[in-house]
Amino acid sequence: MQRFGTLSFGHYGPLGGGRVLTAGDSMHQAIDLAQGMDELGANGIYFRVHHFARQQSSPMPLLAAIAARTSRIEMGTGVIDMRYENPLYLAEEAAAVDLISDGRLALGVSRGSPESVVRGYEVFGYTGSGDPRGADIARDHFELFLRAIDGEPLAQRDPQSPFGGGTGGQQIEPQSPGLRSRVWWGAGTRQTAEWAGRTGVNLMSSTLLTEATGEAFDLLQAEQIDAFRAAWRDAGHPGTPRVSVSRSVFPITTSEDAMYFGRSQEEGGIGYIDGGRATFGKTYAAEPDVLVEQLLQDAAIASADTLMLTIPSQLGVAFNLRVVESFAKYVAPSLGWKPNWEAPVQGDAI
């Protein structure tokens, strides 16, 4: 692990006791948190994207605001559901945010996670899927998105146009150099990770895998990472890809931390999600010295270059900054962390 950041689900709504966190509150707090994390040296801040839910659903305006208020931290998504996306419009938005941030976008996309509605992407106008979960729509949209950010001409120029005219093909604008190297695919299985490697995009692996072999979660995830890197190498892609994993990690340094997370040492295991068996990761919550020992034994964290800490965004900016600061001060240095003011961290050599 060379870098770490936070992964926020961006929940808003009633907090209990008559308190309410509005959508606006959630976004303003995300921007403030990003600023604080940038100053602490954290490497990234990432957001889950869910439609028809009280969570982040349109991340690009938020990421643009964060880009304008920070200087070093990477900002991104984990992940955008490609079933819901117009791939060309997403390509324009992603390029714009990448340019505003001077190349600090980490655009995580995938087929998406289980929804709170039935086939919501069809309500957005994307119909005709032959897959019960719309995976074919997601892959088709992603293929077109990659063609667009690669600068492929996708429309024919109009020679009669008063705005320049001409003949031949026209690419979308703007184009952001290197954006392709900052695209990630969120993979829940080893097979999907191999596909991402062959495709030539980075790998985001979450706190669960939608397969179960009986192996411990971190070992199964490490196998997934190995399969991804082998596929990348065999496809002959240049450079070295990035790999991230997500974990729930809470250093307990105060009585408030103990109150919230002192009993959160969940061991993970096998469960069911999205119609099938899945392997879930554990929650790490302990004093910093214990956390260091535990995380050093996590095979997937050792294999990845980036660790995303899932945070309870509803607890506010001050609380989450303290979680980040405690991790940066007491835990991350022992895992190989490099703060954001050092040279940008690269993927591990294959």
Side-chain angles (χ1 to χ4, degrees), residues 33-298:
L33 179 62
Q35 283 188 283
M37 288 173 57
D38 195 30
E39 295 168 3
L40 287 171
N43 308 95
I45 184 166
Y46 314 93
F47 300 91
R48 280 280 179 92
V49 179
H50 286 278
H51 300 283
F52 298 105
R54 289 176 173 174
Q55 295 177 246
Q56 301 296 343
S57 60
S58 181
M60 291 304 178
L62 175 60
L63 298 181
I66 290 173
R69 297 266 294 271
T70 58
S71 59
R72 296 180 300 269
I73 195 168
E74 182 176 77
M75 74 286 302
T77 53
V79 290
I80 290 175
D81 189 331
M82 287 302 294
R83 297 173 296 183
Y84 284 81
E85 295 297 322
N86 178 313
L88 300 188
Y89 189 55
L90 178 63
E92 292 176 340
E93 287 190 312
V97 172
D98 200 49
L99 291 168
I100 291 170
S101 67
D102 296 322
R104 290 186 286 133
L105 177 65
L107 189 72
V109 301
S110 80
R111 188 217 74 194
S113 58
E115 303 176 87
S116 60
V117 298
V118 178
R119 299 175 76 89
Y121 47 90
E122 294 184 344
V123 181
F124 273 53
Y126 302 115
T127 59
S129 173
D131 184 282
R133 294 176 294 178
D136 49 352
I137 290 179
R139 293 285 181 93
D140 289 346
H141 285 187
F142 187 58
E143 179 186 1
L144 182 55
F145 168 79
L146 291 181
R147 290 167 58 197
I149 66 171
D150 284 341
E152 180 179 330
L154 296 171
Q156 289 300 308
R157 294 177 179 174
D158 181 359
Q160 305 301 319
S161 171
F163 304 106
T167 59
Q170 177 64 47
Q171 65 185 15
I172 65 137
E173 295 288 350
Q175 290 283 316
S176 183
L179 176 57
R180 172 67 177 262
S181 68
R182 293 182 281 278
V183 175
W184 306 61
W185 185 266
T189 66
R190 287 168 291 182
Q191 182 181 25
T192 307
E194 289 173 354
W195 174 85
R198 291 194 301 270
T199 303
V201 293
N202 303 302
L203 175 67
M204 278 187 178
S205 189
S206 187
T207 52
L208 65 87
L209 295 174
T210 52
E211 55 184 338
T213 66
E215 285 187 275
F217 174 77
D218 67 308
L219 298 177
L220 187 60
Q221 193 172 44
E223 290 178 13
Q224 181 197 42
I225 294 170
D226 290 343
F228 163 75
R229 289 181 172 140
W232 177 288
R233 179 193 63 230
D234 293 344
H237 295 301
T240 54
R242 296 269 307 279
V243 174
S244 71
V245 296
S246 302
R247 292 289 187 276
S248 296
V249 181
F250 300 104
I252 296 179
T253 61
T254 70
S255 58
E256 186 180 27
D257 298 334
M259 177 183 69
Y260 279 118
F261 305 112
R263 298 174 182 240
S264 297
Q265 193 79 304
E266 299 173 4
E267 291 300 321
I270 306 298
Y272 291 86
I273 192 169
D274 208 17
R277 278 162 48 97
T279 307
F280 292 82
K282 65 182 295 183
T283 295
Y284 295 96
E287 289 71 23
D289 56 336
V290 176
L291 280 184
V292 169
E293 294 180 7
Q294 293 176 333
L295 296 177
L296 285 173
Q297 298 302 313
D298 189 304

Side-chain angles (χ1 to χ4, degrees), residues 293-316:
E293 294 180 7
Q294 293 176 333
L295 296 177
L296 285 173
Q297 298 302 313
D298 189 304
I301 292 177
S303 185
D305 59 78
T306 301
L307 173 61
M308 296 182 183
L309 307 178
T310 59
I311 56 169
S313 54
Q314 304 98 310
L315 294 183

